[in-house]
Amino acid sequence: AGALAFAGTVAVTLDAHAQNLERGRELYENHCQKCHTPNVHARKNRAALSVGDLRDIVKMWQSNQGLRWRDDEIDDVVQYLAHTRYFFSTSR
């Protein structure tokens, strides 16, 4: 019974993680991608060298654009970019 409960918890956590990445992708594509091509994330002199740097950059640009994203929305975009563009290890 304990193994089934653990498996259920893992499945719910993975599903929530996938939903957060999907929301991050949607926010990025709708608000950021119009100026940022995928190449901007792969350049040698990129500004984000860690998840913390990436979070600071996303937070700054969403504010500059007047988007008023909540912390969880910022985190979702950061997680999306960390997993798909920067390949940073994250705790989420």
Side-chain angles (χ1 to χ4, degrees):
L4 287 177
F6 176 75
T9 300
V10 169
V12 169
T13 301
L14 290 176
D15 186 48
H17 179 71
Q19 289 175 356
N20 292 344
L21 286 178
E22 178 62 19
R23 183 169 66 168
R25 181 191 65 76
E26 290 173 356
L27 289 167
Y28 180 80
E29 288 179 356
N30 289 327
H31 300 286
C32 309
Q33 192 166 292
K34 56 187 159 193
C35 296
H36 291 284
T37 66
N39 296 338
V40 74
H41 304 292
R43 65 181 187 234
K44 288 184 181 184
N45 63 342
R46 65 185 186 188
L49 301 176
S50 69
V51 173
D53 292 343
L54 191 53
R55 181 170 280 108
D56 291 344
I57 292 166
V58 170
K59 192 171 186 174
M60 177 190 68
W61 279 107
Q62 68 81 30
S63 178
N64 287 348
Q65 295 299 309
L67 298 174
R68 298 181 183 192
W69 285 347
R70 298 181 315 266
D71 287 341
D72 63 313
E73 292 170 315
I74 292 169
D75 288 342
D76 290 344
V77 173
V78 168
Q79 294 298 317
Y80 168 72
L81 291 173
H83 281 80
T84 63
R85 302 287 195 272
Y86 292 87
F87 308 104
F88 294 146
S89 176
T90 60
S91 61
R92 204 169 175 200

